[in-house]
């Protein structure tokens, strides 16, 4: 008994010493929070976006403010693809790590979970790929460097109507995901307007995050014989949906949004997702400007693989914050926020970024198709 | 159309039945709900994935080896997490099960990475068969066939062999069984082995049907199969199978005939559980275990 208490006592003392040692924080660092899902259903998307941020940090790790040189440190907070965990992660970044700015999150619902916390702590957050309008609406501290879903829905509806020649569409949406529900609605409104037929959406089916069996939903949709199926859910379920659709003998064209632009989608989908068309932010085979080329070259050198589109956006978000810090010449989060709001014609890897009064960026959309197991660039659509 | 739904319900039901058997057998012997069972199922899928990716043996050998390794893992899990608590209050061993479940999930997330992995489905299982206009993937035929084959073997073992008799004895009264020169430790290990073996097979077949592996993939199926086992009567193997098929059928039929409620599909499993517990708490095939004096 005595020996055990001695061991416990010694361990506690050692722990106390270690804890004391870590308290001395470096005064010359600026901390940027990386608010992403690294585990859970959206783990792949978040990890890809974080890679873009880390690349930017490796390329531009220092900034000079007020004549003093600061090291930019990334503080990674995994929101675990869960809305409750997102709030916890945001709180950790805002109150414990006391970051000066935040990048993230992949997944609009997760960004919306963290948004109020960042606003309350007056820390600016820059979303890289979250496209739902509600992320920045009403939140003075949330910005984004990507386009919005009303635009994206319109892009896909126009593609369906003009290029596929569809008159009837079916929608499968991930009902527990704000992004999916929002984008489905924007697509639906656009499509109805284009066809002039209020009944143009002939079937709509729902599923939950994490579901793996969609045969029942697909069988129901089959009955209405749509010309095109729009499935704006996350890549994890979408790949399975298309696979099961093909196995059921459904040959209809599938359309999706930016969440499909992931390697995991291609791997799980296999040969069944050939021909799927998506709208997204960036195409590796069509660099937009000089920054795109730098990004592509450095990413391929550092990670030895092709970047996901969201990595380019993560990269841009970091650069926008860096630029704002330089222009504000301050490490004060509120001053940084004010400068982010004034970003104009900033050359990012995924295109030119101008932050408008709604704290959103007006960007082009890129349409890609799955061909031979890879995403291939089709065309660019301007807003 | 209805036939399509039925075919689907049959294969989903068989998967649930297979995993539910593991829950029910362990409960019968130890009066323990092994919450880590869903994670053993997940490990079976991942071990098979890595063995197939390594490409050192034909896929069917890889599957058999994976099932064997899962079985050993289950036995190991029992020795580490449950055996030391055999004489403790039942709540302790249940908490240990929950802890084991979290541990396995977290280890899987760290070791296997949270990104979804694509299971390489052999062509034998992914051919689409067309019967009277109904398209069915070939794996949907294999799953019920394997389930029933394993079930037949299991029932033979339990009712016609000495080991099976020992299992039934230990599940009825552990101390009396000990007096009959049965070593409960060996029987418990054997039971866990069988349960984990079935979970391993379930994991592989699940991956053949839904070829996407995630470290947390065992949570929902584990929960639903636990419900299936309780609905059918916890402790009864026939009950577990019945519960599994019933649950699979209800899930698919809800989505088929009430398309507006597809978002609530998972909720129906839990609603069914509540209804069964209120009406017949011992489950559909459960026996009324009266107090033994």
């Amino acid at each position: 008994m005595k020996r055990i208490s001695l061991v416990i006592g010694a361990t506690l003392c050692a722990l106390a010493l270690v804890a004391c040692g870590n308290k001395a924080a470096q005064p010359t660092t600026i901390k940027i929070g990386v608010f992403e899902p690294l585990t859970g259903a959206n783990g792949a998307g978040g990890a890809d976006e974080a890679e873009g941020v880390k690349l930017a940090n490796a390329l531009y790790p220092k900034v000079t403010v007020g004549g003093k040189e600061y090291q930019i440190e990334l503080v990674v907070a995994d929101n675990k693809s869960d809305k409750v965990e997102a709030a916890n992660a945001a709180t950790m970044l805002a109150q414990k790590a006391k970051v000066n700015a935040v990048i993230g999150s992949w997944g609009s619902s997760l960004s919306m979970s963290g948004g109020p916390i960042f606003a309350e702590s007056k820390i600016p957050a820059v979303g890289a790929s979250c496209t739902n309008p509600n992320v920045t609406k009403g939140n003075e501290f949330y910005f984004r460097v990507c386009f919005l879903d009303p635009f994206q829905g319109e892009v896909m509806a126009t593609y369906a109507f003009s290029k596929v020649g569809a008159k009837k569409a079916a929608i499968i949406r991930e009902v527990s995901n704000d992004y999916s529900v929002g984008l489905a609605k924007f697509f639906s409104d656009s499509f109805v307007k284009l066809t002039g037929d209020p009944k143009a959406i002939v079937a709509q089916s729902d599923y939950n995050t994490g579901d793996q069996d969609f045969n029942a939903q697909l069988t129901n949709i089959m009955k209405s014989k749509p010309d095109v199926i729009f499935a704006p859910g996350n890549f994890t379920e979408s790949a399975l949906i298309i696979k099961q659709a093909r196995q059921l003998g459904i040959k209809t064209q599938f359309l999706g949004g930016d969440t499909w632009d992931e390697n995991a989608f291609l791997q799980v989908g296999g040969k069944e997702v050939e021909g799927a068309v998506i709208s997204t932010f960036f195409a590796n085979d069509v660099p937009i400007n000089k920054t795109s080329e730098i990004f592509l070259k450095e990413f391929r050198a550092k990670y030895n693989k092709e970047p996901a589109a969201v990595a380019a956006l993560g990269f841009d978000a970091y650069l926008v914050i860096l630029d704002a810090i330089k222009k504000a010449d301050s490490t004060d989060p509120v001053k940084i926020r004010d400068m982010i709001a004034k970003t104009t014609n900033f050359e990012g890897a995924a295109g030119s970024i101008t932050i408008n009064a709604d704290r959103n960026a007006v960007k082009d959309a890129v349409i890609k198709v799955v061909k031979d197991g890879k995403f291939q660039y089709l065309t660019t659509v301007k807003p | 159309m209805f036939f399509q739904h039925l075919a689907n319900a049959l294969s989903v039901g068989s998967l649930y039945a297979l995993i539910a058997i593991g829950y029910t057998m362990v409960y019968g012997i130890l009066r323990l709900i092994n919450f880590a069972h869903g994670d053993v199922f997940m490990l079976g899928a991942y071990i098979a994935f890595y063995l197939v990716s390594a490409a050192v043996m034909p896929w069917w050998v890889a599957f058999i080896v994976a099932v064997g390794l899962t079985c050993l893992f289950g036995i190991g899990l029992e020795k580490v997490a449950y055996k030391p608590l055999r004489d403790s209050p039942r709540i302790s061993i249940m908490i240990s099960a929950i802890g084991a479940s979290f541990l396995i999930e977290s280890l899987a997330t760290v070791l296997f990475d949270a990104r979804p992995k694509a299971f390489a489905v052999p062509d034998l299982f992914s051919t689409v068969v067309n019967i009277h206009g109904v398209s069915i993937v070939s794996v949907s035929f294999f799953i019920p066939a394997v389930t029933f084959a394993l079930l037949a073997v299991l029932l033979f073992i339990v009712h016609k062999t000495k080991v099976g008799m020992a299992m039934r004895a230990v599940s009825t009264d552990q101390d009396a069984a000990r007096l009959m020169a049965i070593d409960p430790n060996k029987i418990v290990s054997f039971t866990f082995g069988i349960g984990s073996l079935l979970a391993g097979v379930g994991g592989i077949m699940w991956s053949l049907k839904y070829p996407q592996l995630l470290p947390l993939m065992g949570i929902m199926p584990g929960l639903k199969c636990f419900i299936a086992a309780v609905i059918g009567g916890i402790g009864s193997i026939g009950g577990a199978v019945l519960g599994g098929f019933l649950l699979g059928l209800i899930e698919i039929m809800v989505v088929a005939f009430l398309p507006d409620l597809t978002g609530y599909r998972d909720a129906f499993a839990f609603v069914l559980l509540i209804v069964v517990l209120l009406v017949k708490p011992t489950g559909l095939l459960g026996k009324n275990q009266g107090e033994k004096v």
Side-chain angles (χ1 to χ4, degrees):
Chain A
M1 193 59 222
K2 260 210 189 126
R3 210 189 289 168
I4 296 175
S5 43
L6 200 65
V7 170
I8 295 176
T11 319
L12 283 172
C13 288
L15 281 172
L17 282 171
V18 171
C20 284
N22 280 343
K23 265 217 203 114
Q26 290 166 293
T28 50
T29 41
I30 295 181
K31 294 194 237 170
I32 298 187
V34 178
F35 177 54
E36 296 288 352
L38 298 171
T39 52
N42 303 334
D48 282 336
E49 202 166 280
E51 276 175 356
V53 178
K54 288 191 191 139
L55 178 70
N57 185 239
L59 290 175
Y60 310 107
K62 296 205 217 318
V63 71
T64 310
V65 172
K68 219 162 59 152
E69 197 179 65
Y70 284 81
Q71 187 82 15
I72 303 185
E73 185 192 310
L74 294 178
V75 180
V76 176
D78 178 8
N79 59 38
K80 302 191 180 126
S81 312
D82 176 71
K83 295 184 220 182
V84 174
E85 281 298 328
N88 291 338
T91 310
M92 188 283 265
L93 285 174
Q95 284 162 14
K96 195 145 166 276
K98 293 208 191 352
V99 296
N100 303 73
V102 170
I103 299 177
S105 160
W106 193 103
S108 303
S109 324
L110 304 168
S111 306
M112 290 194 264
S113 259
I117 297 169
F118 298 132
E120 206 183 299
S121 309
K122 296 212 190 330
I123 298 177
V126 179
S129 63
C130 40
T131 46
N132 189 294
N134 289 329
V135 172
T136 51
K137 200 153 150 191
N139 187 333
E140 292 286 314
F141 282 83
Y142 228 117
F143 301 85
R144 76 179 100 211
V145 294
C146 56
F147 54 60
L148 290 174
D149 279 339
F151 173 55
Q152 192 175 192
E154 202 187 296
V155 167
M156 286 324 278
T158 313
Y159 184 87
F161 183 68
S162 322
K163 293 281 185 347
V164 181
K167 303 264 183 325
K168 297 185 289 182
I171 297 182
I172 304 186
R173 45 178 212 172
E174 191 178 334
V175 78
S176 41
N177 182 343
D178 300 296
Y179 159 85
S180 184
V181 172
L183 188 50
K185 177 154 188 320
F186 296 126
F187 174 88
S188 158
D189 291 344
S190 242
F191 194 71
V192 161
K193 206 157 73 164
L194 283 167
T195 54
D197 174 8
K199 297 225 185 68
I201 305 292
V202 293
Q204 183 165 284
S205 224
D206 295 340
Y207 64 89
N208 269 316
T209 317
D211 276 356
Q212 292 190 299
D213 192 296
F214 309 97
N215 284 301
Q217 287 99 323
L218 289 166
T219 313
N220 279 342
I221 284 188
M222 240 160 77
K223 279 195 281 208
S224 339
K225 297 205 204 317
D227 299 319
V228 82
I229 303 180
F230 185 58
N234 285 341
F235 57 86
T236 21
E237 290 84 19
S238 303
L240 288 177
I241 291 178
I242 304 181
K243 224 181 157 72
Q244 286 168 13
R246 299 288 179 248
Q247 284 169 350
L248 282 172
I250 301 176
K251 301 212 198 318
T252 326
Q253 168 79 47
F254 267 90
L255 299 177
D258 60 283
T259 47
W260 290 11
D261 198 354
E262 285 289 329
N263 240 333
F265 176 80
L266 297 169
Q267 276 173 347
V268 175
K271 56 177 160 48
E272 277 98 354
V273 293
E274 283 287 312
V277 172
I278 63 168
S279 56
T280 179
F281 315 104
F282 182 71
N284 296 356
D285 35 355
V286 182
I288 303 171
N289 51 37
K290 266 244 144 357
T291 316
S292 319
E293 288 169 19
I294 297 175
F295 166 73
L296 286 167
K297 181 164 138 257
E298 297 293 336
F299 192 97
R300 286 171 182 147
K302 184 173 159 94
Y303 293 108
N304 216 350
K305 62 175 178 175
E306 285 299 302
V310 294
L313 288 172
F315 186 82
D316 285 351
Y318 181 94
L319 292 181
V320 164
I321 295 180
L322 186 64
D323 185 61
I325 296 175
K326 282 192 208 149
K327 287 213 286 243
D329 198 32
S330 155
T331 59
D332 177 23
V334 177
K335 296 215 175 87
I336 299 177
R337 180 234 162 254
D338 291 335
M339 279 303 139
I340 295 178
K342 296 207 176 91
T343 308
T344 318
N345 289 329
F346 184 84
E347 193 185 277
S352 170
I353 302 170
T354 300
I355 304 284
N356 63 18
D358 293 320
R359 293 171 296 283
N360 299 322
V362 179
K363 305 280 279 303
D364 299 338
V366 167
I367 300 191
K368 294 204 250 196
V369 67
V370 178
K371 199 152 179 294
D372 301 326
K374 284 212 263 285
F375 280 115
Q376 216 177 63
Y377 172 81
L378 261 189
T379 180
T380 308
V381 179
K382 293 201 173 312
Chain B
M1 204 64 33
F2 176 76
F3 189 62
Q4 183 110 51
H5 286 303
L6 194 64
N8 198 33
L10 204 65
S11 59
V12 172
S14 326
L15 284 172
Y16 286 163
L18 211 57
I19 305 167
I21 294 177
Y23 272 108
T24 220
M25 277 176 51
V26 168
Y27 184 82
I29 296 270
L30 282 183
R31 300 286 176 272
L32 156 75
I33 302 291
N34 181 13
F35 286 110
H37 196 66
D39 304 298
V40 174
F41 151 90
M42 174 269 292
L43 277 178
Y46 267 99
I47 295 176
F49 166 79
Y50 279 114
L51 284 176
V52 168
S53 308
V56 293
M57 53 186 99
W59 59 264
W60 53 274
V61 175
F63 285 176
I64 296 176
V65 171
V67 170
L69 287 174
T70 313
C71 173
L72 289 174
F73 179 83
I75 297 177
L77 176 70
E78 192 270 322
K79 291 257 179 298
V80 167
Y82 307 142
K83 181 155 170 225
L85 296 169
R86 204 72 77 72
D87 295 321
S88 306
R90 290 240 296 269
I91 191 88
S92 310
I93 197 171
M94 198 172 92
I95 294 175
S96 176
I98 299 175
S101 169
F102 275 115
L103 180 66
I104 299 174
E105 284 162 20
S106 307
L107 280 177
T109 308
V110 169
L111 292 173
F112 304 143
D113 182 22
R115 301 191 207 202
K117 295 203 185 336
F119 197 86
V121 182
D123 288 327
L124 176 66
F125 297 114
S126 48
T127 34
V128 181
V129 172
N130 216 302
I131 304 176
H132 293 301
V134 175
S135 302
I136 306 180
V137 199
S138 51
V139 73
S140 302
F141 293 117
F142 278 98
I143 295 177
V146 171
T147 305
F148 283 118
L150 285 175
L151 189 62
V153 171
L154 181 67
L155 288 174
F156 178 80
I157 292 179
V158 170
H159 289 287
K160 297 263 194 274
T161 62
K162 240 178 157 183
V163 179
M165 196 185 303
M167 280 167 72
R168 282 180 284 140
V170 172
S171 113
T172 309
D173 189 330
Q174 219 180 77
D175 290 323
R178 207 175 277 151
L179 290 172
M180 298 294 144
I182 296 175
D183 181 0
N185 288 333
K186 288 217 182 74
I187 300 300
V188 170
S189 293
F190 186 74
T191 311
F192 261 89
I194 295 185
S196 305
L197 190 142
L198 292 174
V201 175
I204 293 176
M205 296 210 292
W206 184 283
S207 309
L208 289 175
K209 192 163 156 75
Y210 310 114
Q212 192 184 92
L213 301 179
L214 286 165
L216 302 181
M217 69 188 267
I219 298 182
M220 233 351 173
L223 212 57
K224 289 205 191 141
C225 296
F226 165 59
I227 293 174
V230 170
I231 290 174
I234 191 92
S236 153
I237 293 179
V241 176
L242 178 67
F245 277 106
L246 198 62
L247 200 62
L249 200 73
I250 290 179
E251 259 194 22
I252 301 293
M253 290 311 165
V254 158
V255 180
F257 295 115
L258 298 169
D260 295 326
L261 295 179
T262 41
Y264 296 103
R265 180 165 83 174
D266 292 339
F268 275 94
F270 299 106
V271 167
L272 183 66
L273 173 70
I274 295 174
V275 167
V276 167
L277 284 177
L278 286 174
V279 171
K280 195 167 191 300
T282 48
L284 295 171
L285 292 187
K287 307 169 267 262
N288 241 321
Q289 294 196 298
E291 279 294 306
K292 284 183 251 199
V293 176

